[in-house]
Every structure is written in structure tokens, then in C-alpha cells.
Amino acid sequence: MVQLCSVETAASEGARNEGQPNAITSGEIAIGKDTLLEFREIQVIATVHNTRKKLIKNIRRHRRQSSDIIFNFSVFSRPYRSRHGYNPVFFLKRLKVSYQFQYPFSVIFTLMRTVFFLITCLLGVTTLHAQTNLETGGRVAPLSDKGIRLIGAASFVAFEFEGTDCQLTLASVDDYPHHNYVSLELDGTYLGRIRIESGSPAAYPVAVTKSGRHRLVVYKATEAQNGFVDFLGTTAKIVSPGKAKKRKRIEFIGDSITCGMGNDESALPCGSGEWYDQHNAYWSYAPIAARALHADFLLSSVSGMGMYRNWNTENSESEIMPEVYGKLALRESDARPFDAAFQPDVVTICLGTNDLSAGDGKKPRTPFDAKQFTDNYIAFIKMLQQRYPKAQIVLLSSPMLNGERHATLMAALDTIQAAFPAGTLRRFTFEPMEPKGCGYHPSKEDDQKMAAELTPFLKKLLDEK
């Protein structure tokens, strides 16, 4: 009589090639002395339900040929689209099982079915719930089956759920393979930043220690230049959030300062990894201020960009903010328009640092063109006024500029403000600082200081609205 004796699994070391799914389990499962299940490489997609059907079919097909039946199978974790949403499924090649027909087929299949469910439990294969009752913010795009593509810095997806089970299925997507980051906030508490690897969608567990009702927000920590993060589902039991309260809205337009570049060394210190490995838009001054004001917010920011030229390039060499602002992904190569569904009460603009930059110090740099800067800035404001007719527009200084460059920017903003009727534009000046983040950018503490300065000013404007 064949009996279930033991189950053994080992972590996989392979399947890391680009474009190939990554194995989550490999090894052996021993069932009695005559039965062996071997994990092999992924090839064919099948749902759990269909897998069971295929297993029956194969057993019946081989039953007449030999008393020994051999199949191969592999188990990998990857979402598969169905009419119910994204579901983790088995990617199967073949199922290998050796045993003797000492009992009727029904007995053998019952044993196989038990083993199959045992394997799914061991591997933690779960079903993603339908993508309903999701809240989104920032520059995002819907995907089929209600998935969400996070595009801009600090764009987010949020949902409320019950219980402690919460696993996210996420993917880093771009024209070339590379990682991204998201930051998690549970019940108003920051949990940390998670690295989303390139390649196939993968599961990322969220530590939830208390039962009851919760709210999770998944923020994109990187920016639009770094590609996208696709939210493809969760195992959490999502519940309706109820009627949302109307909140004030703020849009923050800017460059790397607004993106939160260089402010998070929790994973890698400055100067190591990729240029965006210290990005964390969650801790940018802009989201910090918005959270303090209980306001909805949107970031339209790109590192290195300026109003008429960029950090190390002229406009003839690369696109500038006025050229990409109307594109959803903040890049000319992406034709999707950025709609005006989000109508802010206040719009802040923090640009000019890169226009006034000396670049990398190696490439020749023409002198700052104040007229070109102010002309572009004025035209940009007029576009925003048409787009957001009820919004109050605020011109921000740059905390990273001091001395002569700070004075040059302040004079340019004076000229821009004078081009509009009195009271049309507001101004706010940050205290100059010596930033302590990576690449002469604000650190998390610097961002918190900036937010503490800006928040009372924005509160006054919002109260006026």
C-alpha cells in the first residue's frame, strides 16, 4: 500500500535569466518508497483548476501503456490574467510521478489529488482577490483586469482590507530590465521601502500583525524616468472604504528635489548602486506637507529638468518640463496625454535649480539666459491657468541655491510675478541649506525641514479656498 511518508522541498537556485520566470521552489517530494515528484523548469501556463484536469488526462493516457507512470512538473509564482483578475498559477512542463498500479485508478488519483493540494499549501499558492475598491493618486494608468500602473513619483494605489493576510503582486516595467522601489504605509505608519525586481511579476508580503480593518497605501518611491511599477493584485480581503471625505488638493511641480532623489540611504549608501537607489518620493517635502495638511496630492516632477534647459543639457539636446508636462509619463516618447481630472486648489512650482546649474563641470555650459527662463516660465504658468482656472499658483525658491545663484533666481521670479496682475501669483522662499543627502540633494531630515517651513504657508492658502 502506498502511503504519504514525507515531504521535502529546497529553494531554487536557477531560472534567473532575463525574460524567464523565476522558480520559487525546487527539490523533491517523497511519497512512499515508489513515488517521487521532481521540480523542473517552467514552460506551459495552466490554472490550478486546469492543472488538475491535465493530470487526470495524462494518467488515463499512460495507464494502458505501462504500470509505471512518469510525469514532470514545476511550480512557479506568476500572475495569470483571467476574467476574475490576476491569479497566481502553476507554470507547468510535465509532472513526474513513479508508482505501481497496485490499486484501482480512483484510489491512485485520490492520492495524487491530496499530494497536489499539499504542494500548493507548501508553496503558499493563493488566489488574488478581484481588483475592486481601489483608490489611486498621482500619475497612474489603469491596466486590464483592474491592475494599476504607477508612473510618477509618489503615485499610489490604496485599499482597505480585513485580517492579517496581505501579499502584493508587483512588477517593475520599462523599455529595458531594471528594478524599482515602492514605499508602504499601513494605517498611517510608514513600513519601509521595497525593491521591486525586474522581470516577471512577483509576490511581496506585507507584515500585518494585528487583526481587524486596515488601510494600505503603496507609493512609487522612484520617478517616471525610472519606468513603471505595476500593481497586479493582492491576497488581502479588500473591503469597501465607505464614503470618502472631500479633501483639498495640491499639485507639486518640480525636479529632483520634489522627486525625493538622494534622501534614502536605508538600502544603499550614497555613491553606490544605481543613481536612483536612494530615491524615496514618500519622504519628499511635498508628500510630507500634503500628509500634514490631510490633502490629496500629485507630483509632476522629473530629476534634472528645468524650465528652459536641464542640469547638463540644453533644450536642443533634451526635453524640458514645459514640453513633457502634458504627457502622462513625463516623456516625449510616451504619447499618452495627462488629463486634467485632478483639479488642484493649489499648484506649487519649484524649478530653476537645473537651469542655473553649472552641469557636470566638464561639458561646456552657456551662461544662464534670464530672458529665456522667464519667457518659458510665464508661458508655462499661462498654460496652467487654462488647465486649472480655480487654482492658486505658488512660485517656490530652491533651497539648494545660495549666494549669487539664489539672487539670480529671486530676480527672475520677481520678473515673472510682475508679468501677471497683482495677487495672481504667490511666492514662498525656503531657507537656504547645505543639503545632506546624496549628490547634493536634501536628505530625509532636510525634506522634513522644508515641509515644516512650507506647510503653514500652504494651510493658509487652502483655508482661503
Side-chain angles (χ1 to χ4, degrees):
M1 180 176 180
V2 180
Q3 295 181 341
L4 180 64
C5 294
S6 64
V7 177
E8 301 176 2
T9 61
S12 172
E13 297 293 337
R16 298 293 297 180
N17 294 330
E18 293 296 344
Q20 298 297 322
N22 295 330
I24 59 171
T25 307
S26 68
E28 322 184 317
I29 296 182
I31 307 171
K33 65 178 182 178
D34 296 319
T35 307
L36 180 69
L37 277 70
E38 295 180 354
F39 292 82
R40 297 295 185 193
E41 195 174 1
I42 249 170
Q43 287 295 334
V44 181
I45 299 175
T47 64
V48 173
H49 179 64
N50 290 336
T51 300
R52 254 180 268 137
K53 285 186 175 180
K54 186 171 180 83
L55 178 60
I56 299 171
K57 178 181 177 181
N58 285 342
I59 290 177
R60 287 174 177 167
R61 184 180 67 210
H62 288 277
R63 186 180 180 191
R64 301 184 184 88
Q65 298 177 10
S66 170
S67 61
D68 291 321
I69 298 177
I70 297 178
F71 298 90
N72 274 331
F73 87 105
S74 299
V75 182
F76 289 69
S77 177
R78 182 173 178 180
Y80 177 67
R81 229 173 64 190
S82 74
R83 60 192 176 91
H84 301 296
Y86 278 82
N87 295 293
V89 297
F90 284 142
F91 286 72
L92 303 167
K93 186 175 182 181
R94 290 178 302 155
L95 175 62
K96 180 176 181 179
V97 182
S98 275
Y99 53 83
Q100 301 293 323
F101 277 110
Q102 299 178 13
Y103 293 95
F105 174 79
S106 60
V107 175
I108 294 172
F109 177 68
T110 299
L111 175 62
M112 292 303 302
R113 183 175 61 183
T114 302
V115 172
F116 181 83
F117 281 111
L118 181 59
I119 294 168
T120 64
C121 291
L122 287 170
L123 297 174
V125 176
T126 52
T127 301
L128 295 177
H129 293 287
Q131 305 303 293
T132 57
N133 293 317
L134 297 179
E135 176 191 348
T136 61
R139 289 178 179 249
V140 301
L143 297 171
S144 55
D145 291 312
K146 300 182 181 179
I148 303 296
R149 173 159 288 179
L150 305 180
I151 299 173
S155 56
F156 68 87
V157 58
F159 56 87
E160 295 187 17
F161 67 99
E162 291 182 346
T164 58
D165 175 36
C166 186
Q167 183 172 276
L168 308 174
T169 300
L170 304 169
S172 177
V173 180
D174 204 351
D175 298 333
Y176 66 97
H178 65 82
H179 60 278
N180 256 294
Y181 291 93
V182 298
S183 291
L184 303 181
E185 181 188 83
L186 180 67
D187 299 331
T189 300
Y190 177 70
L191 294 184
R193 193 179 60 151
I194 298 176
R195 176 170 165 144
I196 310 303
E197 299 297 344
S198 62
S200 304
Y204 297 87
V206 179
V208 184
T209 58
K210 296 182 179 179
S211 59
R213 192 181 182 105
H214 304 282
R215 174 180 167 81
L216 181 72
V217 189
V218 183
Y219 290 94
K220 186 168 184 256
T222 43
E223 58 181 286
Q225 285 193 82
N226 306 127
F228 318 123
V229 172
D230 287 355
F231 171 85
L232 302 174
T234 177
T235 59
K237 184 182 177 182
I238 298 178
V239 295
S240 174
K243 187 176 181 180
K245 296 180 180 179
K246 187 176 180 181
R247 296 170 22 135
K248 299 292 186 179
R249 295 179 168 187
I250 309 171
E251 179 174 0
F252 299 90
I253 301 173
D255 48 34
S256 56
I257 304 172
T258 306
C259 287
M261 179 179 175
N263 66 1
D264 190 341
E265 296 182 72
S266 60
L268 290 169
C270 296
S272 60
E274 300 293 337
W275 68 275
Y276 54 88
D277 275 326
Q278 292 80 28
H279 267 56
N280 196 341
Y282 181 89
W283 290 119
S284 158
Y285 74 91
I288 295 175
R291 289 193 294 269
L293 294 165
H294 304 288
D296 293 332
F297 66 91
L298 162 71
L299 265 59
S300 296
S301 54
V302 182
S303 291
M305 275 201 174
M307 192 61 80
Y308 89 95
R309 65 178 181 179
N310 298 326
W311 169 70
N312 200 39
T313 57
E314 300 298 321
N315 185 206
S316 59
E317 301 171 273
S318 60
E319 56 219 21
I320 53 178
M321 180 57 77
E323 294 173 338
V324 302
Y325 176 83
K327 305 293 184 181
L328 179 61
L330 292 166
R331 58 176 85 171
E332 279 292 330
S333 59
D334 195 320
R336 291 173 297 173
F338 173 44
D339 65 43
F342 184 91
Q343 286 286 315
D345 298 288
V346 173
V347 177
T348 71
I349 307 173
C350 187
L351 290 169
T353 305
N354 293 304
D355 299 87
L356 284 157
S357 168
D360 62 5
K362 301 176 182 178
K363 184 178 179 180
R365 187 79 160 163
T366 59
F368 176 70
D369 189 333
K371 185 177 187 308
Q372 187 65 63
F373 177 77
T374 56
D375 286 351
N376 280 24
Y377 212 132
I378 290 168
F380 187 67
I381 292 172
K382 289 180 178 179
M383 178 276 296
L384 291 174
Q385 288 176 328
Q386 292 182 347
R387 182 183 179 90
Y388 307 130
K390 297 182 179 180
Q392 175 67 68
I393 297 176
V394 181
L395 313 185
L396 303 181
S397 70
S398 171
M400 291 168 58
L401 297 180
N402 49 53
E404 184 179 345
R405 291 195 299 163
H406 173 76
T408 300
L409 178 61
M410 292 299 98
L413 294 181
D414 288 342
T415 301
I416 293 163
Q417 190 171 21
F420 294 85
T424 301
L425 304 178
R426 299 293 183 92
R427 293 274 296 277
F428 179 82
T429 303
F430 288 110
E431 290 294 325
M433 66 168 60
E434 287 294 328
K436 301 176 182 64
C438 302
Y440 201 74
H441 285 83
S443 64
K444 174 184 170 182
E445 291 71 26
D446 293 333
D447 273 308
Q448 290 172 325
K449 180 176 181 295
M450 291 169 60
E453 294 174 13
L454 182 60
T455 299
F457 176 85
L458 292 179
K459 183 179 186 305
K460 183 178 179 181
L461 289 184
L462 292 174
D463 288 343
E464 292 174 0
K465 301 289 287 187

